[in-house]
Amino acid sequence: MAYTSEIEKLERRFAENPSGRNFAPLADAYRKAGELDRAIELCKGGLERHPDYVSAHIVYGRCLMDMKNDAEAEQVFQKILSLDPENIIALKVLADIADRNGRYEDTVQWLSRLLAADPMNGDASEALARAKGKAALAAKVTEPIVPPAAVEETVAGLVPPPAEPPAPATEPEPAVRESGLIDIDVALAQAPTTAITKPDFVIERAAIQEAPPALEAAPPS
């Protein structure tokens, strides 16, 4: 009943000056009453006449949010930031949209801008801490996993290939080998032979006599 009386009052005011800016409060009243189609139609018509009217853009964006149309709502609130870079409502809504869609890095960006514009905003500070935690966790989960085959290829590229075994020593040519053997045989054949002489002295091993066993002491009488 309260909404009906408020809407009727705003409708009369809008009828008095349809080209003015009274369309925005009326559209917001329609939105709160659940008449989203009438609210959106009124916002579109009024924004054609007043494209820089920030409050009307906010009402239009909220209508889209109520309709779960995050994509178009995000465009509307970014339009608001182009008109008012420190608009608290737009920054908060953009942070909520990004968080709801799992874009936590964007959430951190919007909340950081919100705190820069409103440093005493405790709710935004707590939301920023949560968003940073979500962003860090999401980054850890999405780290690429290297398959074992890629690891083996990488290791194979780092380890040098095994060295080839040394080539076996080549034998000399038959002519050289035979020539060397012939020279050795001739030298041995021509060498004089000498008799093995008896050494000047012979070391004889001395016989080691065993000491007689000690006599046992006679027992005392």
Side-chain angles (χ1 to χ4, degrees), residues 10 17 22-23 40 46 55 74 77 81 88-89 95-96 113 115 118 139 173 182 198 216 220-221:
L10 292 172
N17 184 14
N22 292 326
F23 71 92
I40 289 176
S55 297
E74 190 170 16
F77 284 101
L81 290 180
I88 304 299
I89 296 174
D96 291 342
R113 289 181 59 178
L115 281 173
D118 185 12
E173 295 296 331
I182 292 173
K198 184 179 180 180
E216 295 181 358
S221 58

Side-chain angles (χ1 to χ4, degrees), residues 118-195:
D118 185 12
M120 302 304 294
N121 193 325
D123 293 338
S125 180
E126 294 177 2
L128 178 59
R130 291 193 299 269
K132 287 182 177 180
K134 292 179 181 179
L137 182 60
K140 184 179 295 186
V141 170
T142 56
E143 285 181 356
I145 300 175
V146 181
V151 174
E152 292 178 0
E153 292 178 0
T154 304
V155 173
L158 296 176
V159 177
E164 296 182 358
T170 57
E171 296 183 356
E173 295 296 331
V176 176
R177 182 172 67 251
E178 293 176 359
S179 174
L181 293 175
I182 292 173
D183 294 341
I184 295 173
D185 293 341
V186 172
L188 292 175
Q190 294 179 356
T193 58
T194 56

